[in-house]
Each structure stands twice: as C-alpha cells, then as structure tokens.
Amino acid sequence: GAGVSQTPSNKVTEKGKYVELRCDPISGHTALYWYRQSLGQGPEFLIYFQGTGAADDSGLPNDRFFAVRPEGSVSTLKIQRTERGDSAVYLCASRSGGANVLTFGAGSRLTVL
Amino acid sequence: ELKVEQNPLFLSMQEGKNYTIYCDYSTTSDRLYWYRQDPGKSLESLFVLLSNGAVKQEGRLMASLDTKARLSTLHITAAVHDLSATYFCAVDKGFGNEKLTFGTGTRLTIIP
C-alpha cells in the first residue's frame, strides 16, 4: 500500500483481556518499529524488526507484551492480561534501508477500562 | 541509557516572530531527526541531519546539528499559524543500532 496501515484504529477492552494490534508496513520496507505514545508524551520505543527477526526488543515493558512478524511484512503486537496503564496510542512505523527515516501509521488507540 | 531532552516544552508565539527549539541528547551520535505531529495525527518526518554541522531548511523551518555539543536546533522564521503542531527530535546510535529515541516534544502554538 501507499502508507503504513494499522488496525484497529480504536480498541476498547476490559482489564485482563487479550488484544492484538496489526501493522501493515509499506511494501518492500524491511524494518518495522512499534512505539507507544501516551497523552502529552513523545513516542516510547517498544521493539523493532529487521525482516522477520526482532533486532531490538528492549523497549517491551514486560512479558505481557509480544510482537511477531512471521513473513517479514505484516506485524502483530500482542498484549496479554491488559492493564489500565496499557492505555495509549500504539504507533507502527516502517523504513527501507539507508537513513533511519520512519514512516508512521495513524496509530491504534487502546483504551483499557 | 540515551536521553533526549527538548526545550521549551510549550511555546506560544505570535505570527511573524522568530524562535528556536532546542534538542540535546546524552550520547555520541551523528544522526538526528525532526518530526512534526498535528493533534490527533501521526508523526511526519521533517528533517534528517547526518553529520556535524549539517543544516537543512524547508520553508520557514531550519534545523541544524552540532554533534560535539550534542545539540540540535529547530529555528522558526516569521511564524505562521500553519506551523502550530508538536515537534519532536529523535536520535539513534548509528548504522546497526537503529533504535530511535524521541524527545518529549515541544508544543508550538502560533497566535494570530
């Protein structure tokens, strides 16, 4: 596609539930990033993939968070046993090689009640 | 841990005025990025600065990088209302270490 696509755009869930957020990067972009942005804050790094493998997952806050990119294209961020503190906008970005200029998607707004 | 700090956090300025946003960071890096975010929207890349002394300009915005001082500036000339947005700088540690760390952002409001 022309841009980075994220679904759902909005997700409301209850505390303790499981959620999946999907990211469809720009075709041909090998690197894919997940960030989390809370209100009034800058994006906080979660994980980035180079191809199918996680090149750096140091930003995942705990073992409730997991991300996959099995075929080197679409990625899914999975959050188990959601907590109210997980409420944020989850941003996905991708880039091709070269300078680290990321193209961001519109984000998935997660609200945990 | 890499830290990226911006100041001011909030900036309200009149149309036609000039101002500068500062971004300083805690690690050696030659790569700095500026992004813009409109309310409720995602981030848009503005500038990529890849070496000491790099200067980029687009319209009323000019960004520069001093890697020795670990400082970047985003200068706004003769501000117009359309520039109202939140501006973020971000730093990585170079090729092979492309985790991008963002600053806290500067919310800029241009008053007519």
Side-chain angles (χ1 to χ4, degrees):
Chain A
V4 178
S5 176
Q6 291 189 246
T7 55
S9 54
N10 273 289
K11 175 73 177 177
V12 180
T13 190
E14 293 179 342
K15 181 175 178 296
K17 299 290 189 183
Y18 169 82
V19 298
E20 289 190 353
L21 307 176
R22 176 188 167 108
C23 174
D24 202 338
I26 292 173
S27 178
H29 278 196
T30 55
L32 184 147
Y33 296 70
W34 283 100
Y35 282 82
R36 175 167 73 174
Q37 187 175 26
S38 300
L39 191 63
Q41 303 293 316
E44 173 193 13
F45 173 80
L46 295 177
I47 184 171
Y48 99 89
F49 291 87
Q50 191 63 250
T52 60
D56 187 334
D57 65 358
S58 62
L60 295 177
N62 51 59
D63 61 6
R64 295 188 297 106
F65 288 74
F66 189 70
V68 295
R69 195 186 185 199
E71 298 178 359
S73 178
V74 171
S75 175
T76 304
L77 178 66
K78 307 180 181 194
I79 310 173
Q80 298 178 320
R81 305 183 304 280
T82 51
E83 299 178 357
R84 292 193 180 90
D86 298 336
S87 296
V89 176
Y90 289 81
L91 296 168
C92 177
S94 69
R95 67 170 174 87
S96 58
N100 203 10
V101 179
L102 305 185
T103 300
F104 280 85
S108 292
R109 182 178 296 277
L110 174 66
T111 303
V112 182
L113 300 177
Chain B
E1 180 188 343
L2 172 57
K3 292 186 178 179
V4 183
E5 295 187 347
Q6 291 180 234
N7 74 83
L9 299 182
F10 298 93
L11 176 57
S12 182
M13 54 190 292
Q14 287 187 314
E15 280 190 326
K17 300 290 188 184
N18 305 334
Y19 210 82
T20 301
I21 299 170
Y22 297 90
C23 170
D24 62 289
Y25 53 96
S26 63
T27 194
T28 303
S29 175
D30 290 337
R31 294 157 46 126
L32 189 133
Y33 309 81
W34 284 95
Y35 286 82
R36 168 182 172 144
Q37 187 174 38
D38 291 295
K41 305 289 187 182
S42 196
L43 286 88
E44 171 192 355
S45 176
L46 290 176
F47 297 110
V48 180
L49 303 167
L50 297 178
S51 62
N52 186 40
V55 177
K56 294 279 184 75
Q57 183 162 5
E58 179 75 32
R60 300 173 188 273
L61 299 178
M62 184 174 71
S64 65
L65 177 61
D66 180 343
T67 59
K68 293 177 182 173
R70 299 180 186 174
L71 173 70
S72 179
T73 59
L74 180 66
H75 187 72
I76 303 146
T77 301
V80 293
H81 181 68
D82 286 353
L83 292 179
S84 296
T86 300
Y87 293 86
F88 294 97
C89 62
V91 178
D92 66 27
K93 291 186 179 180
F95 183 74
N97 194 343
E98 285 98 350
K99 169 183 166 181
L100 201 59
T101 300
F102 282 82
T104 47
T106 296
R107 183 181 291 181
L108 174 64
T109 304
I110 309 297
I111 303 167

